[in-house]
Amino acid sequence: MPLLFLLILPAAFAGRFAGVRFGFWAGLAAVVVTLAGEMAAIVVIGNAFGKRREGQSALNERRPEPGGRARPVNVVTVPVRDREAEAVALKSGSITLIPADSVRGLDRPTRNKLIRKLYASLKDAFERQVQIEVQQSVTPGEGASEESELQFIAVRSPDGSRAGFTLGSEGFSFAGHALKAIELWSLAPAKGGGGFSASLYFIDKDALQGSFNEKWSLIGPRLVSFDFDVDYSEEAAAAIAIAVEHIAAMTGAKFEIHEGVDV
């Protein structure tokens, strides 16, 4: 179950309970209040977690060795972005998603598992919502061992009318602006195990008008959510966030990245 649903279920329950007892507006108010409370809790805990993490990183980097020398301890390596190279790749219409040097902390089988999961999830999402054209060759992973280096690439035509993804010798494409928005939830472990969840919107939800129920009746059928098949780490969080940013850039979609802890 996508992590996002863990936020929606309590709000839906509260809204239904209040709506049955006190009417529609009371139910809607209960949904809004519940979601606001959950978001506030995630943000507060996430900020506290981030500050503690930053403080620990600073402490680790400055912790002295015997004799007064400073040494790093448990320093987390996150991707170093070459934004100039990224800009050139995006302008050219082809960029690698989750390159090997962005997730050095993941062994190759784990990285390949993440890539295959993301490719399959994107293909399923687009196939369920819009017409796609598939380049039939081999399925993801077929003909490639766990030790081989997978190349997962986002592409866009020069005029922007088509976009797509390729994995090895397979790929699929779709109308360039089919995806309207993408949201990433990155939750560090706390009481729960943490993880990553994405929501893809094939409708411009920000342009909709009307009541909550009216908007949701339109958004729901045009929304696809999925989890990433990888354990949480700061390095994976950074790499996945960059991949989502690049997917949005290639498809012209809006993107939001929410960080918090799995409480």
Side-chain angles (χ1 to χ4, degrees):
M1 177 184 295
L3 297 170
L4 185 59
F5 290 161
L6 297 179
L7 297 175
I8 295 176
L9 286 177
F13 179 80
R16 182 177 181 184
F17 179 80
V20 170
R21 297 195 61 183
F22 304 109
F24 169 77
W25 291 111
L28 180 59
V31 170
V32 173
V33 170
T34 302
L35 285 175
E38 291 175 332
M39 287 299 299
I42 288 176
V43 170
V44 170
I45 297 174
N47 288 340
F49 180 85
K51 290 178 181 178
R52 181 179 65 82
R53 183 179 62 193
E54 292 173 2
Q56 185 62 44
S57 296
L59 176 63
N60 288 340
E61 291 176 0
R62 298 179 61 85
R63 185 173 297 168
E65 290 181 334
R69 295 177 58 192
R71 64 183 179 89
V73 180
N74 297 329
V75 175
V76 176
T77 302
V78 296
V80 177
R81 302 182 66 174
D82 185 343
R83 292 187 179 274
E84 183 176 349
E86 289 180 22
V88 172
L90 291 171
K91 187 175 181 179
S92 72
S94 176
I95 191 166
T96 300
L97 302 174
I98 315 182
D101 61 357
S102 74
V103 280
R104 295 189 184 95
L106 301 181
D107 58 38
R108 186 169 292 176
T110 302
R111 173 178 169 271
N112 287 351
K113 183 180 179 181
L114 167 62
I115 288 176
R116 290 190 177 97
K117 168 67 174 180
L118 178 54
Y119 176 87
S121 297
L122 289 170
K123 183 179 178 182
D124 176 70
F126 279 89
E127 196 168 27
R128 288 162 57 182
Q129 293 290 335
V130 298
Q131 184 176 2
I132 69 172
E133 295 181 5
V134 178
Q135 172 192 336
Q136 293 287 358
S137 181
V138 297
T139 57
E142 186 178 345
S145 68
E146 289 293 335
E147 289 73 30
S148 62
E149 191 68 45
L150 292 180
Q151 293 298 319
F152 181 30
I153 300 172
V155 296
R156 183 187 62 237
S157 65
D159 63 359
S161 62
R162 302 291 292 177
F165 302 97
T166 66
L167 178 60
S169 54
E170 181 182 327
F172 68 95
S173 64
F174 44 85
H177 295 285
L179 182 65
K180 303 302 182 183
I182 180 170
E183 293 181 351
L184 171 66
W185 286 85
S186 177
L187 300 181
K191 292 182 179 179
F196 309 93
S197 179
S199 293
L200 276 60
Y201 295 85
F202 293 85
I203 186 173
D204 188 356
K205 56 186 176 66
D206 296 329
L208 298 178
Q209 298 181 349
S211 67
F212 175 84
N213 282 352
E214 290 171 337
K215 291 180 180 180
W216 185 251
S217 68
L218 298 174
I219 293 174
R222 305 305 307 277
L223 168 66
V224 181
S225 298
F226 59 86
D227 290 340
F228 290 77
D229 193 10
V230 64
D231 292 334
Y232 182 90
S233 71
E234 293 183 24
E235 189 177 54
I240 292 173
I242 293 171
V244 167
E245 179 183 336
H246 289 165
I247 290 171
M250 281 298 186
T251 59
K254 303 173 185 177
F255 76 95
E256 297 178 15
I257 297 175
H258 308 279
E259 295 182 317
V261 293
D262 188 359
V263 297

